[in-house]
Structure formats: structure tokens, C-alpha cells
Amino acid sequence: MGINLLLAAETTVAGASNGVALAFRELSLLELASFCFNLALVLVFVFIVSARYVALCFGRARLWKENLVGSGGDVRQNGVADGEETQNIVIGKNYKASIACCFYVLLVYIFVLGYDGIDLIREAAQGESGNWTVLLLPAALSLAWFVLSFSVLYCKYKAAEKYPLLLRVWWIASFIISLCMLYDDGKGFLKEGSGHMDSHVLANIIVTPALAFICFVAARGVTGIQVCRNSDLHEPLLPEEEAGCLKVTPYSEAGLFSLISLSWLDPLLSIGAKRPLELKDIPLLAPKDRSKANYKILNSNWEKLKAKDPQKIPSLAWAILKSFWKEAWRNAIFAGLNTLVSYVGPYMISYFVDYLCGKGTYPNEGYVLAGILFTAKLLETITSRQWYLGVDIMGMHVRSALTAMVYRKGLKLSSSARQNHTSGEIVNYMAVDVQRVGDFSWYLHDIWMLPFQIILALAILYKNVGIASLATLIATVVSIIATVPVARIQESYQDKLMAAKDDRMRKTSECLRNMRILKSQAWEDRYRLILEEMRNVEFKYLRKALYSQAFITFIFWSSPIFVSAITFGTCILLGGQLTAGSVLSALATFRILQEPLRNFPDLVSMMAQTKVSLDRISGFLQEEELPEDAITTLPRGISNVAIEITNGDFCWDQCSPTPTLSNIHIKAEKGMRVAVCGVVGSGKSSFLSCILGEIPKISGEVRICGSAAYVSQSAWIQSGNIEENILFGSPMDKAKYKSVIQACSLKKDLELFSHGDQTIIGDRGINLSGGQKQRVQLARALYQDADIYLLDDPFSAVDAHTGSELFKEYILTALAAKTVVFVTHQVEFLPAADLILVMKEGQIIQAGMYDELLQAGTDFSTLVEAHHEAIEAMDFCNLVSEESSENDHLKSLLTVEKSNLATNSITGLANEVQEGVSSSEKKAIKEKKKAKRSRKKQLVQDEERERGRVSMKVYLSYMTAAYKGLLIPLIILAQTMFQVLQIASSWWMAWANPQTVGDEPKTSSMMLIGVYMALAFGSSWFIFIRAVLVATFGLAAAQKLFLKMLRTVFRAPMSFFDSTPSGRILNRVSIDQSVVDLDIPFRLGGFASTTIQLLGIIGVMTQVTWEVLLLVIPMAIACVWMQKYYMASSRELVRIVSIQKSPIIHLFAESIAGAATIRGFGQEKRFMKRNLYLLDCFARPFFCSVAAIEWLCLRMELLSTFVFAFCIVLLVSLPAGSIDPSMAGLAVTYGLNMNNRLSRWILSFCKLENKIISIERIHQYCHIPSEAPAVIEDSRPPSSWPENGTIALIDLKVRYKESLPVVLHGVSCIFPGGKKIGIVGRTGSGKSTMIQALFRLIEPAGGRIIIDNIDISKIGLHDLRNRLSIIPQDPTLFEGTIRDNLDPLAEHPDQDIWQALDKSQLGDVVRQKEQKLDTPVIENGDNWSVGQRQLVSLGRALLKQARILVLDEATASVDSATDNLIQKIIRSEFKDCTVCTIAHRIPTVIDSDMVLVLSDGRVAEYDTPARLLEDKSSMFLKLVSEYSSRSSGVPDF
């Protein structure tokens, strides 16, 4: 009985389970999958929610317990406490649409469930047994969409900006299942017609559009909910940094899915889609990616290598590999994995064709093959993106570290090493060589991957063609060896190209620095032609490099064709049986092998280029540095002796037999004032350099006690505002700052500037007068509060009054307790010195106090006598003696007042300021904000950049730049023919070979291979034609753009150079021009070829299965949308990258020019930090830019992978015999390449648009407004003009820029012809501005200048400037020879040049040199003293012999004796000329026929010196009295 019951129970259970099994069996495979999948995810969801709830309960219990035990503080839940951030939530359209779609799908499934349920109840009521399984799917889907809909609602409650991962996966999977069901239902319709339609089919059709939208939302992951936080916590940490910059890139803490999908970049791209990105939008790099971290690693490894074996040359490449091996290893894993999975497709094709031919080996083999191919493609996509991003990041790290090392080296170079590398070359190491080394990270893994790929390819080929694969190996080796000589040739061209580029950049840099001289001497055309000649040399090598590149392109597109022809030929000759499957598998393998083979020449050439760059950088990094032990620095207060030099011999050029300084002995005690004097070229500046440790020491010892501050003779001013230049990295101390301004007589100047000390200084201090620059330098030194002050002729650039003022306020008062060593030509300051050193030919020939040296006679008394001669030459002595009692009284009053003022000023000001610190701080903050707002009115503006899409005009201007665009259609035609013939050759091999082993071939073996070779080699010739056409087009366009830019820049007005830092122009003529030369033509060709290849692939696939078009069209739409979405951010990122490059180059050039000052102040660390900061500012947008490319490629490739999978599933699902297996195999062969081509296509388009930005930037500089014409044919002056030289200024008004205030206010006066006119005035009164207006370097804002009855504004600039001559304030020499510097236009014979040299007192100096007139002049004329450079400028004027000569502070840098000599020469040589002299030394202008006194840009006085001196109220008399009292009344100091 029990047994029977048990058996009955078992039978019931078995029956029930069989019933359930039968019920499930009635569901289709897809419906069952959908049912299981949705139920499983519902369970996962319930589990996650439960787990969270439990965790929350535990957390609350623990918190409650802690609060009971603790102080019973309030427990907040979800409330917003006071002072905490408040949130403002904005709901976007996307979120609303998503929620609507979810509830719409839920309602559809509930309706279907209700409909099916009612139908079943109706059937049961009629006594029919209904099939209850129809309710399973709608019930599961209703439950699933109920959970999904309320999960989306919960996102709003949580204010989530991203959807949970589970939700997104669920949505995407639902859409894929829906698509599969649609496909299945479509097949059902074809078989059964309308009988197939039921509620489930209809529901699926209705919900698919909503699911498609939701799938798209899931792919993006963004909810559309924006949270705006208002919080005190979000205040920026630094006032200079924008608030947006403070967040670190999400990449540093991204999860696995976020890293794989690159979704960490979404927030930035979504900002970029809404508005143009700014630098502040771009997050900071993670600490490990910053320049400082990478520089430290590389520098320590480099130093270790150097220390390991000092005899051996260390390998920079090894140091880089040791520093970044972890990154290289990680990239290698991705690269290896990517290579492995990329060969899965070609391996599986033969099995796929066999399956389609009906030779399946197990059930559902087709779907298994499709799954394997899909998975391989998916893995290939993911690994390639991670690999490429990793490579870019590694390159970024290497570049940052190397740039920092080159910069640091530039600051530490010794003088002899500095002569081997011009600043242009050093900038090139950073701009070009470092870039190339960083780019090599792309090629690093190709070295080992090439053999790995060849081995994999041979294994697949061996399976398909047997022993013939040996022929493949031989053919591959032959094609690789064939390129080596071509690559070598190209490498040599590349070397020569780089050398030519270096020379051109050096000359360009020099021309930009000295554009004022070039324009005022009318030499700019000559120097532009020199640059064009240098460009022609560079262009010659560029042409050779590009044509050899074209030949290499031809070889490597042909090599896979050559290899495949050899392989198939060998197989046929050996009697092997080729089938469609094996041929297609082999072709797919060749196509993959094509990539490494084609990359091999690039690899060889890149290795060669990188080696050249590494050797150049390595050579530079091993150059001699300034020895750290050149001077011994003792801590402050340890000794009473501030400076001590014993037995010192020093020499700039260590190969020279005679030292620059010899037998130097000096001991200066703390608080001493030491004056250094001597004639031009006697070694005064070198003496200061030996105290700084700048000049190489041969023997002896230099010891200093405390810190030093240095003021150079040629002012070095940084770009930035005046305040930054004075503070020079020190913190602001208002009291100290004000006292420094007072001591340097800068107060009045700052009041004259509309922006005060916030005025932005142009490139190399262009908008400051010589005196202002010098005083800013002095202020910088004083603010540093050093112990020892080394001043190199600081008073030469200022007028007499300011000079006296400075000497009293600065040297005698502010530096009263300091040790001061000052070089001077002003004899009147010498009595105030505690020790005077007289130098001659590099030796201290006399040392002592003023009176002692005078009594001793010799050289010192000669200098003093020369000075007195000049004073006596002033014919006003009697007049002064008449007024002496009056003046003496006034003078004593002044002296007492000034000394009181000086002693009290610093302490008084300090106290005054200290009282109002808090109010002044507030005021300072207000001033800063005001300065920011008023920045638009400054001389130097932030670099301009276009915004939004690159204009079509830019593309057209480039395409029509060469041969009016006629080559473009020819390039497209050649590429199309190549693609057509390629497809035809593959189609021929698939069609003509038997489908399976044993079938009859459709043609003879000879015919088969003959036709294939004809088609294949025909296609390779079209590639050759395309490559040559692209190179020809690129060369012509690049040259045309370069010449247009160069000519426009050289024709630009002086105001353009004043307001544009040279780094910006150099950036365009070096980096942007390189891109146009070497990159853009190939990018254009590459884009055309990829587009045509992609169309070919889609064509082949649709030819076989037209249904693919159903997915290709939406995929194309999605691609275009994504590309637009990406480009909005990418364009701006690339523009920001270009702009952020300029400050790095500018800082490089600026720091190298002022290296001595930076070292003198011990500021190397601060400048190094600044460099690292700028490198990070560049790396931030660069990193986001490369990540954005990978973001786009990943999404594109995933789309194409799904299309490919759809195509394969379609081919597998079609009934047997309905499609030709060979053609299906051909479609798969091409489809394997589709994701690669699609991402290539998008990438090539995006990279092209990003590179086109270089053309856009060059385009900007091709449209700079030009200055007036060089020659106006209709109004050329007579050849003898100006005969008389009369200059009439009529109501002259001048301003530097439209937005800046007027500098000259209606100046009117007449300079009679042939007379000597002296122009005097306080510093900044507008003297140099008037001269610039005379040369039309600045066009007047009002009024006229008439020379000999001709209005100079009506004639050409060259006609004007050629007839005038100038000896400028800043003497400039160009790199080359003495002959080139005196006569750059080569208009004079050597005899005239020698004559001019003799007259300018340089003849003997030049004759002593071995090469005479060909004596080299190095960059900036650094191997000649400033005084000698000034004399060369005089020589130029003597050669030119113009009727009007302008001397702008021409003798400021020479001693009194030389000055007197120069004045005599000018009086005799230019006796019939109109000579306008601006001078601060009164003797220089006192014998003028007329004197013009300017004050604040207005004419204060204009008359003969005698008349002006008679007028007791005249400003000129004051100036003369000041100079006279300063010079004769020396003891007053």
C-alpha cells in the first residue's frame, strides 16, 4: 500500500515536471532565452537591493550605538546641514525620454499579458484546453520592466548623473534580443505569411524603436540629470587657478568597466558638446602622470648611468627604458594579445567556407564559428584601444621628462658649452627632438611584433597552402631587405632636413628678436631673402624625403601582392590543391601581414630618426656645466670679508692662449662700495662674471659671503607684468615693495602707465624705455634683499637727473649696509666709492680711493681728464658761475632734503604701509580683479584661437594652394582604381578556385595566376601614382603657405612684434610648418584611401547579403553623430594643445637668454618649477585629446563588430545552397577588416581635422594687416632727397595701439637742415617714441612729419628708411661675420669697411683677429662687449652716409673718453647732415645747434642751448645744473 502510494506520488511529480518541460519546449529558443535572462536579472536586482538594505541596517545600528556611547551628537539623515553644500538639480530631456520609453514598454507588456490572459480564460470557458505557456514571457517581461522603470525613477531621487551598470547591461541585452526576435519573425513571415502574426510578434515590433533609444542612452550611460552644487568647499585653493582645474582626472580612480569603455571621459565630452572647451574645463593629471614625477625618475636613472662608468658615454635610450619599463611591459601585453586575436579570423575562414559548402562536423557549427569570430573581434577592439592609449601616455611621460631635463641643462650650461648651442638649437631639441623620441613609443613594440606576426601568418599559411608557405617566408624577407637601402637614403635626407631646419629656425629667431633694427635700417627684405634661401635648402631635402617616402609607400603596398603571388604560384607549381576556403584564408592573412610589412620602413626610418634625436639630446645633456666649485659661497655673517679673489685667472674661451682676466686680486669687506672702471673692452663685465662663477676659472680662488643679486648691462626683462618682474618669485611684502619702487625712481613711471605695475611687458621688455627696463632690473635686485650687489653699468641707460637720484636713493641709501660692486663709465660717481678698480686688457692695473688714484696719475687720470674735457666743452661755465651762489644754496637745500628723504623714506613708508595692511590687502585684491578685467587693453594679449568647426575656407585654401587643386581628383581616381583592382583580384581567386577539395577548377592554373598577378600588380601601380601625386601636391602647398606666411610676417607693422611674443611666431614657423611639410599631405591621401577602402568593404558585403544594409545605414548615422559629438571637444582640445605649446617655447627662449641673471639670483629651482607647471598645462589637454580619439574609435569599432556579427549570423542562418560559399567567404574576408577600416577612417578624418588646425594657425599669420607699402611708384622721392635734411613735426600725436593712451601729445617743431639737434628729457618722456615715428615704425595717430617738403606718410617705407640712418639704444649684432654686420646688403668694398672701422675705433681690434673682416660674431654678438657692439653700429652709420642721422642713446655703453672721440667723429664725418641726438649725458648734446626738451610726451622747450641756459626757469638749465653739480660737486654725494 505504502509502496503504491509512493509510486503514485512519483508518477504525479514526474508528470508535472514533464508538463513543465513540455511547456518550456513550446517556447521558441529566443523566447526561452529572453524569459531566463530577464528572470535572472530580476533575481540579481533583488539580491543587490537586499544586500544594500542589510548593510545599511548594520551601519545604522552601529552609528546608533556609537551615538549612545558618545556625546549624543545629532544624527542627520538625508538632510542638508547649515553651511553644507546645497544642490540644484536640473532634469534633462534625455532623462524624461528614457523614463517615458520604460513606462511605454511596461504598458505594452502588461497589455499583452492581459490580452493573452483574457484569451486563455475565454478558451477555458469554451471547454478548450489553452496553452498557458504563452503567459510566461509577457509575465517575465512585465516584471522586468516594472523593476527597470522604477529603477530609473529612483535615479532622480538619488540625483544620479550616471545610470547603474546593471541597468545599462539589461537595456542593451533587451535591445539585442529584440533585434534577434525581429530577424526570426521576418524569416517566419517569409515562410508562413500572415499566419505567423500574434500578440508577441506585434508587441516586439511596437517596442523595438523605444528599445533602440534606450540602448543608445545605455551606451552613453549619462542620465541627463545635472547637479549644480553651491558650496564654500568649492572655492579655488589658489587665486590664479580656475575652480574647474582643481579636480583630478577621473582616469586615476576609474573602475575596470570605465577603463575598458573609456567612459571616464564622458563628463568632459558632454561639456565640449554644449560649448567650446577652455583650459579650466580640463582636469588635472594624476600625480604619477605629472611632469615632476616622470622627470625625477628619468633624471635619477640618467645620473646613475653617468656615475656608473664616467669614461663610457651613457645611453639615454637605456635610461628611458629603465624609467618607463613598467608602462612598456603593460603595453606589450595588450599588443601581444591584440596580435593573437587578430589572426583568429583568417584562421577560421576556411572552416566557415567548408561549413557553407555543407561540410559541417557538429550541430550548430555555424553559430559556434560566428560566436568565435565575434568574440575575437570584440577582444581585438578592446585590446587595441588600451594598447594605443597606453602608448600615447608613455610618449607623454617621456616627452615631459626629457623636456624638463633639456630645460634644466639649458640653465646650467657653461659659457663654452653655450657657444656650441644657440638658443634656436636648444629650442629645437625641445620642440622637435624630444617630440620624436616621445613618438617612438608607437613603434617600440613593432620591433618584436613583426617576427611574431610573421610566425603566426606562416602557421596559418602552412595549414592552407602547405610547403608553399616557405616561399612566403622568402618573399617576405626579400621585401623587407629591399626597403633597407631606401630607408637609409631617407634617413640621410631626414638628417640633412633637420640640420637645414635648425639653421632656418636660428636665423628666424634672430630676425624676430631684432626686427626693430631690420625695419629701421630697411634691411628686412634682405634678411627675408636669406630666410627664403635657407628654406630652399631645407625644401630640397624635404622634396627628396617626400619622394623617397612615396617610393617606400609603393614598395609596401606592393609587397603583400608580391608575397601572395609568389605563394599561390609556388603552390600551383608544386601541384598543391587550392580551394576557395584556403585562398580566402591566405588572402585574409596577407591583408593582416600587410600592416606590419608596410610599417617596417616607417619603423626603420623612425628608429634612425629617433637615434639621431637621442644622440643630439644625449650630446647636449653631456655638455659641460658651470662648475659648482667655481666660487666658494660662505653663509651670511660667517666672515667680515664679502668678496675675495686671490691669484684669479679666467678665460671665456679655454682654447685661447691669453686669458680674459689675469692676475686678479681683490678683497672687499662687508658694506664696501667697489667701483670698476676702464675703457671699452677692458674686461669690466667679465670681472663681475668671475664673481658670479659664470666665466671658466683657470686658476685661483673666488670666495663670497652671503647671497648675491646681479643687474646685467643689457636689461633682461621677463614677459609678464612689472610687479612679477620686481618680485621675481618672492612673496609680496607691501611695505618693502613700495620702498623699492621709491628707491628705483619708478613711482612716476608707474603712474604714467594706465595699468600701473600690472602693465604687461611685451616680448623682451619692448614697451619700456631703456631707462625703465634698467630700473625694473634694479628694483628686482633690491627686492631680493641680498648681501652682495653686482651692478653692470646700471646708470648708462638713464638721464642725468634720474642717474643722480638713483645713485643717492639706491646705492647710497637703500644699499648703504650692503656690499656693492658697480661697473660705471660715469666718473662723477667714483668719489663715493670705498675702492676703485681700474681695468685694462683684463687686468686690474690700479686699485684704491679716488684721490689716491688721481695722484698716482696714469690710466685713471686719463679717464677723469676725458670726463672733465667733456664738462669744459659745455660753454655755459661762466653762466653757471654767475648763478653759483644761488644754485649752491638751492643745491645744498636739495641735498639735505634728499638725504633726509632717503633715510626716512624706507622706514617711513614701511610704517605707513604696515598700519593699513588689511585695507591695502583688500585694495590689492580689487586691483588684481580690475587688472584681469582691463587685460583686454594691454599691449600683449593672450594667444588668439579659432573656436568651433574648422572653416571650410581653410580646407579649400590648402587644397587650392598647389596647382589650383587639379591634383585632388587625380589622387582620388588613382586610389579608386587601386581599390577596384584589389577587390577584382580577390574576387577572381575566390571564384576561379574549386570550393572544396575534389571539385573541378573553373580555369587553368596559368590563367588563374596570370590574371591574378595582372590585376594585383596593376593595382600597385595606381598606388605608386597616388603616392607621387600626394607628395607633389604636399610640397607645392607647403612651400606656397610658408612663403606667404614669411612675407606677411616680415611686412607686418612693428606693433605686431611689440604685442606678439616671438615664441608664438616661432611655434608657427617650426612646429606648425613641420606638420604642413610632413604630415598633412599624407593625412589627406590616407583619408581618401581609407574612405574608398571602406566603401569597397561595404560594397562587397552588401553584394553578398543585401540585408547588411539594414544595419549599415543606422550604423553610418550613429557614426556620423558620434564623430560630430567627439569633434566638438577634440577640435578645441587640439587648439588648446597648440596654444599651450607656445608658453613652453617662450619660457625656454627667455630663460636661456637670461640664464646668467637667473643663476645670479639663485632662482633655477623656481624657473624649473615654472617649466614643469607649463609642461603639465600642455599635457592635460594632450592626454584628454588622445583619450578622446580612443573613446571614439572604441565605439566605432564596437558598432562595426556588431554589423560584422550580424552579417555572419545571416550567412549561417540562410538555407543551404541559397548563396555561393566562395562569395560568402569573400564577404567575411572583407568584413574581418571592417572594424579596423572604420576606426581608421574616423581616425584619419579626425586627425586630419586636428592637423588642419596647423594650417588654420598659419592662415591667421598669412592675414596680418600689413604696414604701409615699401615703395609707392607714383610718389617716389628724388634720388638726391633729402638734400637739405629739414625735419618739420606738425601737431604729432602717437599711440602704440588703438586701445592704449596717447604717448606724444601734439608735438610741433622744425629741425633745420644740416644742424645738430639735441633731444633731452626725463626717462619715459617720449624721446624714443618720436624717433620711431620719424622712421614710421609707429604710424602717427594725428599730425604730420615733413622732410624737405615731402610728407613722409606719402612715400614708401623703404624709400624713407633707406635715406635715414640710426645708431640705436640697444646695439645689436647678427650672427655671421663683422663684414656682414657692417654691410649686410654687400654694397661697399672692403676698403670702405676698413675706413669705417678705423673711424669707429674698432680697426685695430679687428686687425688683431686672425680672420680680419670675417671674424665670427656669435648669436646676439655675445663675443663682443656692449661698447664694441655700439661702435659697430656707428660703423654702419658711417658706411651708409645718410643726410639725416639719429643717435638714440648711442654712447650710453661707452666710457667718457670713447664718447668724446665718437662725438668728434660725428662732428667731422656728419658735418653737413642733420643729426638728432637723444642723450642722457649733457656734454653729448650741449654743443648742439638746437635743443628740444620733452616732458610727458609734450614739447617743454625748444631753442638754442645758449638761450635756454639764459632762462632761469628752463627745464634744460635744471638738467644741466644737475649734471654739472653731479659731475663737479662730487663730494656732495
Side-chain angles (χ1 to χ4, degrees), residues 652-672:
W652 286 114
D653 179 8
Q654 290 181 310
C655 307
S656 166
T658 53
T660 312
L661 298 175
S662 58
N663 206 16
I664 302 290
H665 292 273
I666 174 187
K667 190 174 190 178
E669 297 200 353
K670 197 176 163 192
M672 268 179 91

Side-chain angles (χ1 to χ4, degrees), residues 510-650:
E510 184 176 62
C511 290
L512 293 175
R513 266 200 316 275
N514 303 312
M515 190 55 80
R516 190 173 293 276
I517 284 285
L518 295 185
K519 284 191 177 291
S520 53
Q521 298 277 15
W523 289 346
E524 70 264 44
D525 278 355
R526 168 73 186 137
Y527 276 84
R528 178 177 57 72
L529 288 171
I530 290 172
L531 281 177
E532 285 181 15
E533 283 163 20
M534 294 175 112
R535 169 67 183 179
N536 289 337
V537 173
E538 182 188 355
F539 186 70
K540 182 176 79 180
Y541 295 117
L542 181 67
R543 184 190 290 121
K544 289 176 176 175
L546 286 193
Y547 281 131
S548 61
Q549 179 68 43
F551 185 64
I552 287 176
T553 306
F554 161 66
I555 289 178
F556 278 88
W557 278 90
S558 309
S559 59
I561 297 165
F562 166 69
V563 169
S564 58
I566 294 284
T567 306
F568 293 143
T570 309
C571 187
I572 289 165
L573 283 172
L574 293 173
Q577 170 78 73
L578 284 173
T579 63
S582 60
V583 163
L584 289 170
S585 180
L587 283 174
T589 308
F590 291 138
R591 192 168 283 118
I592 290 188
L593 196 58
Q594 184 178 14
E595 207 65 29
L597 282 184
R598 204 167 59 231
N599 287 344
F600 182 72
D602 281 355
L603 172 64
V604 173
S605 112
M606 195 65 195
M607 281 172 79
Q609 287 177 34
T610 308
K611 187 181 180 302
V612 169
S613 290
L614 277 169
D615 289 346
R616 277 161 57 97
I617 297 169
S618 179
F620 177 67
L621 292 177
Q622 288 171 72
E623 280 287 12
E624 181 189 36
E625 292 184 6
L626 280 172
E628 307 242 331
D629 59 349
I631 55 172
T632 310
T633 308
L634 305 173
R636 177 184 291 187
I638 206 164
S639 162
N640 216 24
V641 177
I643 303 167
E644 187 174 13
I645 304 174
T646 46
N647 301 322
D649 285 357
F650 306 87

Side-chain angles (χ1 to χ4, degrees), residues 8 146 220 234 496 1214 1355 1514:
F146 176 80
R220 285 188 65 203
H234 286 74
K496 287 170 183 165
L1214 289 171
I1355 61 172
S1514 91

